[in-house]
Amino acid sequence: MAASTQWARVRHLPVVLALYGPHFPCELRELFAGWFEAQPWLTAASPQAVVEQLGQLIHQRMNEPGTDALWLASLQQLLVLVRDHYLPNPPAFVHLARTTLERELAIYIASTSADSAQSTAAAAGAAGAAGA
């Protein structure tokens, strides 16, 4: 999905939002959408390095000029999640991220297929009504 990130296309779908929770917060996905989609999840040579890189990205956001206290608190919570849950078991995090992104993509494909089928049915109905 070159023109737009996968996340930009699916984040409004309630069924996609249901994939996220305390184990993988929506905020984390939102903040680093491009990064998540650029990772070679199937062939990640070092899950440890992937998790460490995510922690570094959060640190960078925390140190950006103009970061207010509320935003800083949210980022700190994400950093605690990475430290306490993802770093102890990097392969589990890689699996979680990969499968969640795969599910997002499947939902997106299904939703666009359903939209396409509805559009086709509506067009056929309009054509049939015009011919009557």
Side-chain angles (χ1 to χ4, degrees), residues 35 39-41 43-57 82 86-91 93-94:
W35 180 83
Q39 298 308 303
W41 297 110
T43 60
S46 173
Q48 180 77 27
V50 170
V51 174
E52 288 172 359
Q53 184 182 21
L54 180 58
Q56 291 168 357
L57 291 171
V82 169
Y86 300 161
L87 272 174
N89 192 352
F93 168 73
V94 167

Side-chain angles (χ1 to χ4, degrees), residues 61-62 64-75:
R61 288 284 175 113
M62 291 172 72
E64 287 179 353
T67 302
D68 66 35
L70 184 59
W71 184 235
L72 187 59
S74 294
L75 290 168

Side-chain angles (χ1 to χ4, degrees), residues 110-128:
S111 72
T112 56
S113 296
D115 289 346
S116 177
Q118 288 175 352
S119 296
T120 302

Side-chain angles (χ1 to χ4, degrees), residues 4 8 19 35 76 82 100 119:
S4 174
L19 297 173
W35 180 83
Q76 286 172 333
V82 169
T100 304
S119 296

Side-chain angles (χ1 to χ4, degrees), residues 19 23-24 86 91-101:
L19 297 173
H23 61 289
F24 192 173
Y86 300 161
F93 168 73
V94 167
H95 177 75
L96 172 65
R98 178 179 53 81
T99 57
T100 304
L101 269 68

